[in-house]
Amino acid sequence: RQVASDASFHSVSFSESDHPRVLITGGLGQLGVGLAKLLRKRFGKNNVILSDIRKPADNVFYSGPFIYADILDYKNLREIVVNNRITWFFHYSALLSAVGEANVPLARAVNITGLHNVLDIAAEHNLRLFVPSTIGAFGPTSPRDPTPDLCVQRPRTIYGVSKVHAELMGEYYHYRYGLDFRCLRYPGIISADSQPGGGTTDYAVQIFHDATKTGKFQCNLKPDTRLPMMYIDDCLKATLEVMEAPAESLSMRTYNISAMSFTPEELVQEVQKHVPELQVTYNVDEVRQAIADSWPMNFDDSNARRDWGWKHDYDLPELVTTMFSFLGSDSR
Ligand code: AKB
């Protein structure tokens, strides 16, 4: 296996006028399909390859190139990058916070060993690499209100530890080998047509589905648990913007991004403006609650706003209206 070194650098042809050739790993999670759609609009359908180890639904398979890629299989991943002349790599494969605590060995393998494979391949082939980080990269000793980009990071989940590791390794490869590593710390992401899997912020997606289907919602966090959140369109917009930002505008390589912060009871109030009959009960999940209590309440993203002009479009009322316009508040 070839490990990145100064000597392993060779330039893949990518000039300003070329479109990047993109690979997205973990593409069937909450964000991959939406990201592929956005990137295909911009760079052309065939320049964006979605990948996962799972079988895609027909609509995903037929909407553009899809390929099997196992990030734990170094040779498989390298072959895909070489054969498809990939220039931009979005690494979305990861186990999220709650599911990571339920299977630490798997989370360690996917989130840490998988990342090592991706970093080496990206450095070896001179790729621009995006790795998402998270509010979960902070912990109980971090300042929580607000949380700046640079502060104590001592998370207590394997997910958080692996994401701090990803931030540090990506930045190390950037300074040591010149890897074009770019990283955003995402808040909880809310989307209508894709489900998150095993996160602490999932309740804020579930409430919309339950409000439209059953009219009953059981929340697994306490009503006053405040967490940073973002609508998926803002998240994908930020991701494309940071990847397109000129390198000289980036004063750092890992940025917080923020849009809004709310508690379950504030979200319920807003949702009930659309579905007044929604019944809500609280049945706290101790694991998720402990995680949420160690995470930022408000995220300071002033560096992203200053360096590359980050600006969110969706606050809480627009988010809720948009979710119901997709899911239909009267579809029960
Ligand atoms: C999770 O809850 O684990 C994720 C995240 C905030 O990173 N949604």
Side-chain angles (χ1 to χ4, degrees):
R1 162 174 167 168
Q2 205 176 331
V3 174
S5 71
D6 295 344
S8 72
F9 268 44
H10 59 276
S11 160
V12 171
S13 62
F14 173 51
S15 70
E16 286 304 309
S17 58
D18 287 329
H19 281 321
R21 296 205 27 97
V22 175
L23 178 67
I24 304 170
T25 63
L28 299 183
Q30 187 187 11
L31 303 173
V33 172
L35 181 68
K37 200 166 152 199
L38 180 71
L39 297 179
R40 281 173 182 155
K41 238 187 254 161
R42 191 162 188 85
F43 302 130
K45 180 171 154 178
N46 292 320
N47 285 322
V48 179
I49 302 175
L50 202 58
S51 76
D52 209 297
I53 53 171
R54 289 185 283 150
K55 195 156 73 169
D58 286 352
N59 62 325
V60 171
F61 191 75
Y62 292 115
S63 61
F66 181 91
I67 203 166
Y68 172 88
D70 179 359
I71 55 148
L72 293 175
D73 182 342
Y74 183 84
K75 283 181 77 180
N76 167 241
L77 206 55
R78 188 167 61 174
E79 191 175 318
I80 292 167
V81 166
V82 169
N83 287 354
N84 295 286
R85 297 177 298 115
I86 297 300
T87 56
W88 283 18
F89 195 125
F90 292 81
H91 179 47
Y92 275 100
S93 315
L95 263 68
L96 298 187
S97 55
V99 83
E101 291 312 291
N103 192 344
V104 173
L106 184 64
R108 202 180 75 169
V110 172
N111 295 10
I112 298 179
T113 309
L115 174 90
H116 292 167
N117 288 341
V118 169
L119 282 173
D120 283 344
I121 289 167
E124 201 183 311
H125 298 281
N126 203 19
L127 309 183
R128 186 170 296 183
L129 173 63
F130 179 81
V131 179
S133 186
T134 164
I135 51 173
F138 297 93
T141 51
S142 306
R144 295 180 64 215
D145 190 15
T147 305
D149 280 305
L150 299 176
C151 62
V152 170
Q153 285 179 269
R154 287 285 181 277
R156 298 261 175 91
T157 61
I158 186 64
Y159 176 59
V161 169
S162 70
K163 287 299 185 182
V164 176
H165 179 72
E167 295 175 4
L168 293 175
M169 286 294 285
E171 291 183 9
Y172 175 74
Y173 271 51
H174 171 66
Y175 295 115
R176 178 73 175 79
Y177 300 118
L179 173 67
D180 193 352
F181 171 79
R182 301 173 186 219
C183 177
L184 296 179
R185 296 193 189 103
Y186 291 163
I189 305 299
I190 296 164
S191 54
D193 55 4
S194 58
Q195 296 271 3
T200 301
T201 58
D202 293 9
Y203 89 86
V205 177
Q206 194 57 43
I207 188 173
F208 292 97
H209 294 279
D210 291 354
T212 53
K213 287 195 191 107
T214 64
K216 292 195 174 87
F217 172 62
Q218 198 174 72
C219 185
N220 54 22
L221 293 181
K222 290 183 191 161
D224 61 349
T225 309
R226 183 172 301 282
L227 289 169
M229 300 278 183
M230 182 178 281
Y231 184 56
I232 185 167
D233 286 14
D234 273 339
C235 166
L236 300 178
K237 181 179 81 157
T239 303
L240 179 56
E241 280 176 5
V242 79
M243 282 296 270
E244 291 192 315
E248 58 279 9
S249 70
L250 304 175
S251 67
M252 48 213 289
R253 289 285 162 161
T254 302
Y255 288 93
N256 293 350
I257 50 162
S258 179
M260 66 192 97
S261 273
F262 55 73
T263 63
E265 67 193 347
E266 287 166 357
L267 178 59
V268 166
Q269 259 178 27
E270 201 62 38
V271 167
Q272 282 175 335
K273 290 183 185 161
H274 298 256
V275 185
E277 68 279 17
L278 176 68
Q279 292 171 26
V280 179
T281 50
Y282 290 90
N283 183 13
V284 172
D285 172 325
E286 296 305 332
V287 173
R288 283 184 168 81
Q289 188 64 48
I291 293 173
D293 288 342
S294 76
W295 282 1
M297 294 191 281
N298 281 296
F299 226 20
D300 176 354
D301 63 354
S302 46
N303 290 318
R305 287 175 192 262
R306 185 200 57 219
D307 284 3
W308 44 276
W310 161 239
K311 195 172 156 303
H312 69 280
D313 291 326
Y314 293 82
D315 285 313
L316 181 56
E318 295 86 58
L319 163 86
V320 173
T321 305
T322 308
M323 287 294 284
F324 282 123
S325 74
F326 275 107
L327 298 172
S329 53
D330 52 7
S331 63
R332 280 190 293 138

